[in-house]
Amino acid sequence: MKDYIKHNEWNIIEEGFDPKLNRISESLFSIGNGRMGQRANFEEKYSGDSLQGSYVAGVYYPDKTRVGWWKNGYPEYFAKVINSANWIGIDIVIDGKPLDLATCKVRDFRRVLNMKEGYLLREFVATTSDGKELKVQSQRFCSIVDDQLGAIQYNLSPLNFSGEIKVSPYIDFDVVNEDSNYGEKFWEEMEKSVNGEGGWIVARTNKLDFHVAAGMKCVLKKNDAVVDLSWEAVQKDKYIETYANIYLQEGESLKIEKYASIVSSENHEKLQLSTVCENELIKAVKKGFEVMLREQAAAWALKWEESDIRIDGDVSAQQGIRFNIFQLHQTYTGEDERLNIGPKGFTGEKYGGSTYWDTEAYCLPFYLSTADHHVARNLLLYRYKQLDKAIENASKLGFDNGAALYPMVTMNGEECHNEWEITFEEIHRNGAIAYAIFDYVRYTGDEEYVADYGLEVLIAIARFWSQRVNYSEAKKKYVMLGVTGPNEYENNVNNNWYTNLIASWCMKYALEMARFVKEHNAEKYGRLVQQIHFDEVQESAVWTDIVDNMYYPVDPETGIILQQEGYMDKEQVQVKDLDPKHLPLNQKWSWDRILRSCFIKQADVLQGIYFFEEQFDKETIARNFEFYEARTVHESSLSPCVHSILAAQLGQKEKSYEMYLRTARLDLDDYNNDTEDGCHITSMAGTWLSVVKGFGGMKVTDGQLSFNPFIPDQWDSYSFKIRFRDWLLKINVTQEKVEVENRSETQLTIQLYDKPVVLQPRHTEMVTS
């Protein structure tokens, strides 16, 4: 755990430069706009340890799977969002000495991510080897108003010398991915142009032929007056640069405004990319940096108006929740149904930037409550449009009759995860896809989605589960063999309780929705039955039999739901009894030792209880929470939020708060020693869930919204806003009272502490807590 980020309500602040922390900071201070993103690499040369990262949404590379053996059905590649053009580069040379924080002395270093207005600020004083001091301030952002543009304002001022400064802005497509198999490079130059103060490069990816144009234009200002310099052009393979020399007197200032445009063939015709890129740059220069910055602040103000969570009395908690919300908005805007949310977003290479089940299980509720419902709908449509690939994935593993197995990792619907125990065994992911449909319809009331798209997905998933189980004569029950549950510290187990539960629920829900669509939209139902050859009588009978006779392992002595058969055969040790030197297990223990232990990476049984809480009484929830929380090491970023929510529901305020802080500050404090690889974007939605569903006790039951709020002792108050169907509500909780404000024009009845409350339009109701 690190503790170098200064606590501040609206800013992420680093004071002082420690090269050993640089990769972590590069992740934390990343910027993005849903279309592209950039790690917090330095503009100027840096020869120290760094992970260069610039990413373009939807552009990826099928890196060949590297294994020493092969199995039928094994994916042929691992998809990854590849490092794109370095567009931020501005090399600075002072009287022949390069500005490089790895070789210069550095003082007064400060880096600030302004979350309220959406920009990154950095300032420092560097001293070269010959004693020259240069003050630098840089400010940059990826525009969410013009989402194909980035802008940089880079300020220089000599403090103790007068001399010549060489300024060299550049675009570099000759980049690599640190995690590339076989050291491959992914880009091939197609064309380029450089002249005067700017230029552009169009490059294509190998194999999949994505085209991306990256361009720049620069404006120099000396003492805030534009200077007309003679720029020289440099071009190499996949690289363009313009440079100019300018003499600065001691105390004078030089301001470099660099505008960059990144456009891709995902959104434009390939032959038009250079033209689009140039036009975007002309637009940026015409607006100017200050105008673009004001537009950025205004756009972020609107986002915060919809989704901010305010916490009074606990700056650490406030900073944590806003950081998580900020990164979620930077990663996904919901305007393009072809895009999804990678576990690292635009902050790093790990997990390939691909789509996991995290989106449906954790992220969807955030977007349901903080954005127009089409944003969440687009997340569902992403999966619907990949249904054919999911059916193809299942067929590769021997399933038929239109059974669908959604991939664990994907870019285009094909499975591309390169670990066999995940690819073949962690099939519970299918359940998250179905649960997302349920969650969406329950929250929005958009029942048309089921008839138009959802039912087809649900039937295909139910067909998979019905083929994946087998009947055990010994148990007289249906069983599920050879799986991996959400707890990935177990592989190839039999009857993982969560997997059995979600499989059974999927078949039951598919039957319910089939009946619903048949009753309410017989025409669409009839067309779908013919299209997918759904044998209503026979398949329904099979699914019903499985649902009624599924095996669920339970310890008869304690009543504990067993994570899987044989779990109690393990030596039962609690995390509190482990010497801290053993943690984190995934960095200290062998895989064999982890698999033989009772320790749990993330919520597994508790994931099922969280999803289907209404099926369990409070005593069952409490008994299993106490048992599994004691054995969970939370070495997955997805784990603490589920524990926080369940602890809140059980009235365990301190445990709920402890788990909230862990999820809220997971990256800021580098809990698991892995933030240098990128931030845990999808789990950040869990921070929001911890506040709204945990502390706020928000649920939707039979179409009605309910709240059962409490407030941590460490806080004076907290408030959040949610969209629910046609209503916008603000909930404010203090140590003494709860206020629910209806900001809409129509009346709404909710449940508050299990009592009905009628919210009049534009009115606030208050109850004492």
Side-chain angles (χ1 to χ4, degrees):
M1 179 174 170
K2 315 293 190 303
D3 186 24
Y4 73 97
I5 297 299
K6 306 300 179 185
H7 290 186
N8 184 281
E9 290 186 352
W10 277 109
N11 299 292
I12 308 302
I13 302 170
E14 176 186 17
E15 293 179 345
F17 180 56
D18 184 345
K20 295 190 297 295
L21 300 173
N22 187 51
R23 284 200 180 210
I24 298 172
S25 294
E26 287 177 339
S27 298
L28 295 177
F29 292 83
S30 295
I31 55 175
N33 61 15
R35 187 69 66 188
M36 63 179 183
Q38 172 66 51
R39 281 173 62 85
N41 310 118
F42 299 157
E43 290 88 0
E44 71 279 354
K45 176 183 178 180
Y46 183 63
S47 59
D49 186 38
S50 173
L51 176 61
Q52 169 66 36
S54 173
Y55 310 103
V56 180
V59 176
Y60 67 98
Y61 181 82
D63 208 5
K64 184 174 175 60
T65 300
R66 188 173 188 173
V67 294
W69 46 265
W70 205 264
K71 302 290 184 185
N72 288 335
Y74 200 79
E76 296 183 2
Y77 65 90
F78 181 71
K80 57 183 62 174
V81 171
I82 54 178
N83 195 4
S84 185
N86 178 2
W87 58 269
I88 65 171
I90 305 174
D91 282 347
I92 304 296
V93 177
I94 309 153
D95 288 336
K97 303 282 187 182
L99 175 61
D100 181 351
L101 297 198
T103 58
C104 292
K105 292 181 180 179
V106 182
R107 64 177 173 86
D108 300 336
F109 182 94
R110 193 167 188 262
R111 185 161 24 188
V112 179
L113 181 64
N114 185 313
M115 299 181 290
K116 189 173 186 178
E117 298 182 359
Y119 65 80
L120 173 62
L121 179 73
R122 183 171 59 100
E123 52 194 10
F124 59 90
V125 174
T127 305
T128 62
S129 58
D130 53 359
K132 293 183 173 66
E133 290 190 339
L134 186 71
K135 184 177 181 179
V136 177
Q137 183 188 76
S138 69
Q139 187 176 16
R140 75 177 186 236
F141 58 91
C142 293
S143 173
I144 60 172
V145 176
D146 301 302
D147 64 6
Q148 297 177 130
L149 289 174
I152 304 169
Q153 190 178 79
Y154 196 87
N155 298 281
L156 305 170
S157 182
L159 297 184
N160 66 351
F161 72 96
S162 301
E164 187 174 74
I165 308 287
K166 180 183 178 183
V167 178
S168 304
Y170 63 86
I171 299 286
D172 186 8
F173 250 118
D174 192 21
V175 293
V176 298
N177 269 48
E178 194 171 72
D179 64 354
S180 168
N181 286 334
Y182 308 101
E184 283 184 280
K185 290 188 176 181
F186 304 129
W187 294 99
E188 175 187 338
E189 180 186 305
M190 300 300 292
E191 57 178 332
K192 63 175 176 274
S193 173
V194 57
N195 52 56
E197 70 282 5
W200 48 264
I201 305 174
V202 177
R204 64 177 291 274
T205 63
N206 297 325
K207 294 187 179 179
L208 296 183
D209 201 38
F210 291 108
H211 284 50
V212 171
M216 66 175 182
K217 279 191 179 294
C218 298
V219 176
L220 262 61
K221 297 178 181 178
K222 184 177 180 181
N223 301 326
D224 287 325
V226 175
V227 291
D228 187 14
L229 295 175
S230 175
W231 292 88
E232 297 292 333
V234 175
Q235 48 183 313
K236 299 180 287 187
D237 183 41
K238 294 180 280 192
Y239 179 92
I240 60 169
E241 171 190 325
T242 60
Y243 69 88
N245 295 291
I246 186 167
Y247 191 85
L248 291 181
Q249 296 284 349
E250 180 179 335
E252 288 189 316
S253 67
L254 177 66
K255 184 180 294 182
I256 306 153
E257 292 179 352
K258 180 179 181 180
Y259 305 94
S261 176
I262 310 293
V263 297
S264 84
S265 56
E266 285 291 272
N267 306 301
H268 305 281
E269 294 294 328
K270 293 175 181 177
L271 295 178
Q272 295 299 314
L273 287 179
S274 60
T275 301
V276 174
C277 185
E278 284 187 320
N279 289 339
E280 288 288 307
L281 292 169
I282 291 169
K283 177 174 68 176
V285 173
K286 185 176 180 179
K287 281 188 177 183
F289 186 87
E290 297 302 332
V291 170
M292 290 183 68
L293 186 61
R294 286 197 297 271
E295 290 179 344
Q296 179 85 342
W300 270 103
L302 291 176
K303 287 189 177 292
W304 287 116
E305 177 61 27
E306 290 183 333
S307 60
D308 187 28
I309 292 179
R310 179 169 178 169
I311 298 170
D312 294 315
D314 190 335
V315 175
S316 174
Q318 177 68 88
Q319 183 184 47
I321 187 64
R322 281 185 173 144
F323 177 69
N324 286 264
I325 293 171
F326 179 76
Q327 292 291 357
L328 285 164
H329 281 312
Q330 286 201 128
T331 302
Y332 183 75
T333 65
E335 298 306 317
D336 190 337
E337 65 193 31
R338 299 170 301 170
L339 301 179
N340 209 283
I341 307 160
K344 295 293 184 182
F346 295 122
T347 70
E349 298 176 5
K350 194 172 180 181
Y351 303 120
S354 302
T355 301
Y356 286 64
W357 68 288
D358 311 17
T359 293
E360 286 75 21
Y362 297 90
C363 297
L364 181 71
F366 170 78
Y367 294 103
L368 277 172
S369 296
T370 63
D372 185 81
H373 85 274
H374 83 274
V375 173
R377 199 174 202 262
N378 278 345
L379 286 174
L380 268 61
L381 285 172
Y382 175 89
R383 295 293 194 177
Y384 172 77
K385 292 188 174 182
Q386 294 180 354
L387 177 57
D388 287 348
K389 291 289 187 182
I391 293 172
E392 182 181 320
N393 290 336
S395 69
K396 289 178 180 178
L397 301 182
F399 298 90
D400 56 21
N401 191 34
L405 175 60
Y406 276 90
M408 187 68 180
V409 177
T410 194
M411 280 292 187
N412 64 356
E414 293 178 316
E415 177 63 74
C416 57
H417 199 284
N418 57 0
E419 297 176 23
W420 68 269
E421 68 273 16
I422 305 300
T423 304
F424 298 143
E425 294 185 355
E426 200 165 340
I427 52 177
H428 67 82
R429 64 205 188 231
N430 242 17
I433 310 302
Y435 189 85
I437 297 171
F438 163 76
D439 207 13
Y440 170 81
V441 174
R442 173 178 61 175
Y443 197 88
T444 65
D446 182 10
E447 294 171 339
E448 282 298 308
Y449 182 84
V450 180
D452 292 341
Y453 307 105
L455 182 57
E456 186 177 354
V457 173
L458 293 172
I459 289 174
I461 289 173
R463 283 171 163 172
F464 170 82
W465 289 123
S466 69
Q467 295 176 48
R468 184 58 174 79
V469 300
N470 64 274
Y471 188 76
S472 166
E473 288 292 343
K475 289 182 170 64
K476 304 299 181 186
K477 294 284 185 180
Y478 288 95
V479 296
M480 189 98 64
L481 309 179
V483 302
T484 296
N487 171 27
E488 293 171 339
Y489 286 177
E490 301 276 4
N491 294 157
N492 200 32
V493 301
N494 293 335
N495 293 309
N496 170 260
W497 178 84
Y498 172 77
T499 305
N500 286 15
L501 178 70
I502 199 80
S504 179
W505 175 86
C506 284
M507 287 180 277
K508 183 178 179 181
Y509 184 57
L511 289 170
E512 290 175 3
M513 289 301 97
R515 287 191 293 269
F516 175 85
V517 175
K518 184 178 181 179
E519 179 181 347
H520 292 88
N521 203 323
E523 184 179 347
K524 286 184 179 178
Y525 180 79
R527 285 201 303 268
L528 181 62
V529 166
Q530 287 189 335
Q531 175 190 328
I532 64 175
H533 307 293
F534 179 49
D535 188 332
E536 181 179 1
V537 175
Q538 195 271 335
E539 292 189 75
S540 296
V542 171
W543 300 351
T544 300
D545 187 46
I546 296 170
V547 169
D548 291 343
N549 293 284
M550 182 69 83
Y551 174 70
Y552 300 104
V554 176
D555 181 55
E557 294 183 11
T558 62
I560 295 295
I561 295 168
L562 293 180
Q563 182 176 266
Q564 74 266 349
E565 280 193 279
Y567 182 79
M568 286 301 191
D569 292 337
K570 294 171 177 283
E571 181 184 5
Q572 295 298 317
V573 182
Q574 297 188 15
V575 177
K576 67 180 178 63
D577 297 322
L578 268 179
D579 189 322
K581 72 181 182 181
H582 292 290
L583 298 173
L585 298 182
N586 59 18
Q587 297 175 26
K588 302 296 180 64
W589 281 13
S590 69
W591 192 238
D592 169 73
R593 188 177 183 185
I594 289 173
L595 291 177
R596 289 186 287 107
S597 80
C598 71
F599 297 117
I600 299 167
K601 180 184 180 185
Q602 70 189 77
D604 195 307
V605 167
L606 298 185
Q607 181 76 39
I609 291 175
Y610 161 64
F611 270 175
F612 304 110
E613 178 200 353
E614 67 281 356
Q615 297 183 19
F616 306 97
D617 59 45
K618 193 168 184 178
E619 291 73 20
T620 300
I621 296 173
R623 181 167 60 249
N624 285 280
F625 180 80
E626 293 298 330
F627 182 82
Y628 284 109
E629 161 59 19
R631 290 156 176 78
T632 303
V633 291
H634 298 292
E635 290 176 9
S636 164
S637 62
L638 301 175
S639 188
C641 69
V642 172
H643 287 243
S644 178
I645 294 167
L646 291 178
Q649 293 170 356
L650 292 169
Q652 298 185 21
K653 293 170 64 173
E654 283 303 313
K655 174 57 71 173
S656 182
Y657 179 74
E658 173 196 337
M659 291 291 102
Y660 163 78
L661 275 187
R662 180 153 184 168
T663 186
R665 300 193 63 86
L666 179 76
D667 289 311
L668 290 175
D669 295 337
D670 194 24
Y671 266 95
N672 291 339
N673 295 316
D674 60 359
T675 303
E676 65 181 30
D677 298 326
C679 296
H680 298 79
I681 302 299
T682 48
S683 73
M684 288 178 171
T687 308
W688 182 90
L689 289 168
S690 296
V691 174
V692 175
K693 291 194 173 185
F695 305 155
M698 186 185 84
K699 298 177 187 175
V700 178
T701 306
D702 296 327
Q704 188 173 56
L705 196 61
S706 66
F707 298 93
N708 189 29
F710 81 87
I711 182 168
D713 294 337
Q714 295 84 347
W715 298 359
D716 297 329
S717 68
Y718 69 96
S719 64
F720 58 89
K721 304 182 191 77
I722 63 160
R723 292 186 181 207
F724 177 68
R725 301 186 181 181
D726 295 327
W727 292 275
L728 176 64
L729 306 180
K730 181 180 179 182
I731 294 84
N732 186 64
V733 184
T734 72
Q735 295 290 351
E736 296 81 29
K737 65 183 185 229
V738 176
E739 296 174 318
V740 183
E741 178 187 354
N742 182 1
R743 294 189 167 188
S744 306
E745 302 297 334
T746 55
Q747 175 182 298
L748 174 67
T749 299
I750 65 168
Q751 292 283 322
L752 185 58
Y753 294 122
D754 300 319
K755 295 181 180 179
V757 174
V758 178
L759 300 175
Q760 298 297 336
R762 300 289 175 181
H763 184 72
T764 300
E765 291 289 336
M766 182 191 75
V767 299
T768 55
S769 56

